Amino acid sequence: MKRVITISFPQTNLSKQAVFDLDQKTLYELVDFATKNLTQFSKGANYFGKYSLSDVMPIHNFSGIRNLNQIKQMQEKIQSGKDILERNNFPNIKLVIAPNSKLLLFDGTHTLIACLLQKKKLLSEVPYLIISAENFKPVLPEELSIFFPRDFRDEVKSNWSNFVVNWQAQTGFQIEKREYQTMGELTLEFSKRYKSTVQK
């Protein structure tokens, strides 16, 4: 099963892609594999650069946003002209092309909210990683189930777009009905509740 991993940084209009044929690898394992095999990536056009950040699908409802201070700190860093990266300088924003052909954010919710609050509009403006099938096609529904608690994965496989996850909730209550279809909607809700975080 071949999967394409795309990595991009805003300093360049180019991104890097690599195709890996890795059977039985979860999406999380593919991310880990990518961090250790960056030399296998080659430069290519920024295929996703014009994708709107606000159109990205979230993996959490508002209840899954755990750290207001972290978002404030990220806003300040972005405002100073810096990118939000992991300690190994790897993109913090990680997405997958979901079965509905939309980009689903599975890591970096706080980062993407901070970017939107700082008026970032397109993927080309932020560091990101995207996993897709060959030719930038969607992955399978069952692959997305890895983002959810084990006991709920069969339910997620059959109707993945209806659900989000909240790892802060008690065991047995960590899966929730989706309330927001886009990161734009989620960020708007965040800004309504915490007006002091919004750039004026």
Side-chain angles (χ1 to χ4, degrees):
M1 180 175 65
K2 292 183 179 180
R3 289 291 173 260
V4 179
I5 302 176
T6 301
I7 300 174
S8 183
F9 296 89
Q11 292 85 357
T12 174
N13 287 325
L14 294 176
S15 60
K16 293 184 176 182
Q17 284 111 22
V19 180
F20 298 108
D21 192 354
L22 300 169
D23 286 339
Q24 309 304 317
K25 289 283 187 183
T26 69
L27 296 173
Y28 285 134
E29 289 170 336
L30 283 172
V31 171
D32 184 58
F33 185 87
T35 63
K36 298 172 181 176
N37 292 273
L38 286 175
T39 57
Q40 297 186 38
F41 284 71
S42 57
K43 291 184 178 180
N46 196 338
Y47 183 83
F48 300 101
K50 293 183 178 180
Y51 196 97
S52 171
L53 292 175
S54 63
D55 289 340
V56 169
M57 290 185 71
I59 195 72
H60 303 299
N61 286 329
F62 184 83
S63 57
I65 300 172
R66 69 184 186 279
N67 194 331
L68 172 62
N69 288 331
Q70 185 183 35
I71 293 176
K72 288 182 177 179
Q73 291 168 3
M74 287 177 171
Q75 280 187 261
E76 291 170 0
K77 189 171 182 179
I78 295 167
Q79 196 169 21
S80 71
K82 298 178 181 178
D83 292 324
I84 308 299
L85 299 167
E86 295 182 350
R87 291 180 181 178
N88 58 1
N89 291 321
F90 205 70
N92 196 37
I93 294 172
K94 301 180 185 70
L95 311 107
V96 60
I97 301 185
N100 61 0
S101 296
K102 295 182 179 181
L103 286 178
L104 174 68
L105 179 73
F106 65 90
D107 192 16
T109 296
H110 293 69
T111 303
L112 193 45
I113 288 175
C115 289
L116 285 167
L117 291 174
Q118 290 303 125
K119 311 303 182 185
K120 301 288 186 182
K121 296 185 182 301
L122 302 175
L123 264 180
S124 60
E125 299 177 65
V126 302
Y128 66 83
L129 175 146
I130 295 176
I131 300 176
S132 64
E134 284 190 274
N135 299 314
F136 308 115
K137 298 296 184 183
V139 302
L140 302 173
E142 50 264 35
E143 292 179 80
L144 303 184
S145 67
I146 192 65
F147 303 142
F148 296 85
R150 189 177 301 276
D151 291 345
F152 294 96
R153 287 179 184 171
D154 286 340
E155 190 174 1
V156 169
K157 289 175 187 177
S158 64
N159 207 352
W160 68 271
S161 62
N162 279 357
F163 301 108
V164 295
V165 66
N166 180 3
W167 294 112
Q168 301 176 96
Q170 293 181 346
T171 301
F173 297 92
Q174 293 173 325
I175 190 171
E176 300 174 350
K177 291 288 186 181
R178 176 177 294 279
E179 296 177 6
Y180 305 95
Q181 295 299 319
T182 68
M183 284 299 299
E185 293 174 358
L186 182 58
T187 302
L188 180 60
E189 180 65 23
F190 181 88
S191 64
K192 286 177 180 177
R193 301 196 191 196
Y194 299 104
K195 292 181 180 179
S196 63
T197 68
V198 181
Q199 185 185 38
K200 297 181 179 180

